[in-house]
Amino acid sequence: MRIQSTPIVLPTTALPQRPRLAVTLGDPAGIGPEVVLKALAEPRLTSTCEVTVVGSQRLLRQAYLQLKRQQSLGDREAEPLADPEQLLILDLLLNQATESQITVGAGNAASGAASFAYLETAIARTLAGEFDGIVTAPIAKSAWKAAGHEYPGQTELLAERSETQRFGMLFVARSPHSNWTLRTLLATTHIPLRQVPDVLTPELMTAKLELLAACLQQDFGLSTPRIAIAGLNPHSGEQGQLGREEQEWLIPWLEQARCQWPQLQLEGPVPPDTLWVKPGQAWYGAAGADSSAHDAYLALYHDQGLIPVKLLAFDRAINTTIGLPFVRTSPDHGTAFDIAGRGVANANSMKAAVQLAAELAGRRMKSFPST
């Protein structure tokens, strides 16, 4: 597939007052274009950052017109949409054969190739200094694979292209009930459950804790963060009766970590079934819960961390990749091909992703101004 990039002219003056964000369209056959248009219609978001949409202008325009038609036929109040004519777009031109194969609601090799190219371009331009961060709309891993790109997801491509060896998936969500912020890092991500005990090692935990501590201090301004670390087994092993991992290495590792990082307040291993009680209370604004909840939670495997995150904040959680040389955030949902083009996609997570990226990039700009 031939993809041609239309250049954009960016300022060459001193450090911009607002962070510059690249927002990718994700899979054009999914809800990515819709949630991008809905998010960028929010003046409170676009006033805090300079946004460039990375994708195909023609496809974005088609999505806009389709959504406007849906709104005209609906019987509910129409949600505002950004007009593509008013957006700064880094237009990646698809050849006609490829574009003709992209059908809204059906991810395939063509849509996978397009979404891969959007992210590739955003990464390259960010590494070149044109952007301070990237916000990625969702892609379909199956579509990437059909297009010949063998990556578990966008996170791994971001790490590869930025030559980042240590990185992590941190999920962030701000409660609409209490304004308390939930932060959850996964020690392991997309691997079979039966492999988790073998992949988890003291070395891996050290690497993840280092990433988490640096992120909390640099990006969130927490100098002495409180971090809860999950146990692996029910009741954290019940002193070896329900599993030996805690006794054999997790507890000794945690004791050593407390000595190594005295500025961190580490609690654990907390039994997984009680780990999320305080966050749940803090999320819904129970009296005093926000002060007893932790600043961050280190979960040991995918579902241990993401079931509670999605239960509390399915339409608000944000995936931010920590360890990269730039900010990257993404809504914590998929392409939702089944509702693509119908105008009913919830854009709250995309809005939150743009807002968080602007906040984090802005904080980094203040902490590390260019010389």
Side-chain angles (χ1 to χ4, degrees):
M1 180 185 71
R2 178 181 63 84
I3 295 182
Q4 184 177 10
S5 172
T6 299
I8 59 175
V9 178
L10 294 172
T12 58
T13 56
L15 185 71
Q17 294 183 347
R18 297 185 300 163
R20 303 160 301 172
L21 302 180
V23 177
T24 66
L25 282 186
D27 194 304
I31 63 171
E34 178 179 344
V35 296
V36 167
L37 290 172
K38 287 179 176 179
L40 298 186
E42 289 269 1
R44 66 179 179 83
L45 292 182
T46 53
S47 65
T48 63
C49 54
E50 298 177 3
V51 172
T52 299
V53 178
V54 181
S56 304
Q57 186 170 19
R58 179 181 173 88
L59 293 179
L60 185 60
R61 183 68 181 172
Q62 288 179 352
Y64 173 76
L65 295 175
Q66 170 67 13
L67 293 169
K68 295 294 283 187
R69 283 193 294 269
Q70 290 286 345
Q71 290 180 346
S72 68
L73 298 173
D75 55 1
R76 59 189 178 89
E77 184 177 355
E79 191 169 352
L81 298 169
D83 186 341
E85 298 296 330
Q86 304 301 317
L87 298 175
L88 183 59
I89 301 175
L90 176 52
D91 188 18
L92 300 186
L93 304 176
L94 308 179
N95 63 44
Q96 187 173 1
T98 299
E99 187 172 313
S100 66
Q101 296 176 46
I102 296 176
T103 302
V104 175
N108 56 22
S111 68
S115 64
F116 188 87
Y118 302 159
L119 182 55
E120 265 195 321
T121 301
I123 295 170
R125 295 295 186 97
T126 302
L127 291 173
E130 296 181 15
F131 303 112
D132 302 302
I134 302 173
V135 182
T136 58
I139 61 97
K141 300 177 182 68
S142 59
W144 272 22
K145 186 173 182 179
H149 302 300
E150 298 284 346
Y151 290 88
Q154 298 187 94
T155 299
E156 289 76 15
L157 179 62
L158 285 151
E160 179 188 278
R161 295 301 166 85
S162 63
E163 299 182 351
T164 301
Q165 300 301 317
R166 290 187 173 186
F167 57 94
M169 294 173 61
L170 179 70
F171 292 84
V172 181
R174 187 169 296 153
S175 169
H177 310 284
S178 63
N179 209 38
W180 178 77
T181 300
L182 171 66
R183 305 176 187 91
T184 302
L185 179 67
L186 305 182
T188 62
T189 52
H190 299 124
I191 61 173
L193 186 59
R194 66 190 306 166
Q195 294 179 11
V196 169
D198 296 329
V199 172
L200 283 171
T201 63
E203 293 76 20
L204 176 67
M205 293 296 292
T206 295
K208 296 298 183 180
L209 184 57
E210 285 178 341
L211 282 171
L212 181 57
C215 171
L216 293 174
Q217 293 166 348
Q218 172 182 294
D219 291 337
F220 293 97
L222 300 170
S223 57
T224 57
R226 299 177 63 240
I227 301 173
I229 298 167
L232 176 64
N233 296 294
H235 301 180
S236 289
E238 194 74 68
Q239 297 183 337
Q241 297 183 56
L242 302 178
R244 297 291 305 171
E245 286 83 1
E246 285 82 1
Q247 296 293 317
E248 290 179 354
W249 70 267
L250 186 55
I251 292 174
W253 168 81
L254 188 54
E255 292 173 350
Q256 184 178 7
R258 291 191 180 101
C259 297
Q260 185 175 351
W261 294 289
Q263 75 278 19
L264 304 180
Q265 302 176 62
L266 304 177
E267 180 181 350
V270 183
D273 61 341
T274 59
L275 178 66
W276 306 106
V277 173
K278 290 180 180 178
Q281 293 171 339
W283 184 265
Y284 289 106
D290 57 343
S291 60
S292 62
H294 292 76
D295 296 309
Y297 296 82
L298 180 50
L300 302 190
Y301 57 92
H302 186 278
D303 287 5
Q304 186 186 65
L306 289 192
I307 287 175
V309 167
K310 293 189 176 184
L311 180 64
L312 293 174
F314 181 74
D315 60 351
R316 294 180 179 273
I318 309 148
N319 172 15
T320 179
T321 307
I322 62 176
L324 299 175
F326 49 81
V327 169
R328 181 266 176 144
T329 65
S330 180
D332 182 27
H333 59 68
T335 51
F337 291 126
D338 58 321
I339 62 170
R342 291 169 49 190
V344 298
N346 189 321
N348 283 340
S349 187
M350 175 57 81
K351 294 174 183 178
V354 175
Q355 181 178 359
L356 181 62
E359 292 174 1
L360 299 185
R363 187 173 288 120
R364 290 193 186 189
M365 288 164 59
K366 293 177 180 178
S367 300
F368 306 101
S370 61
T371 56

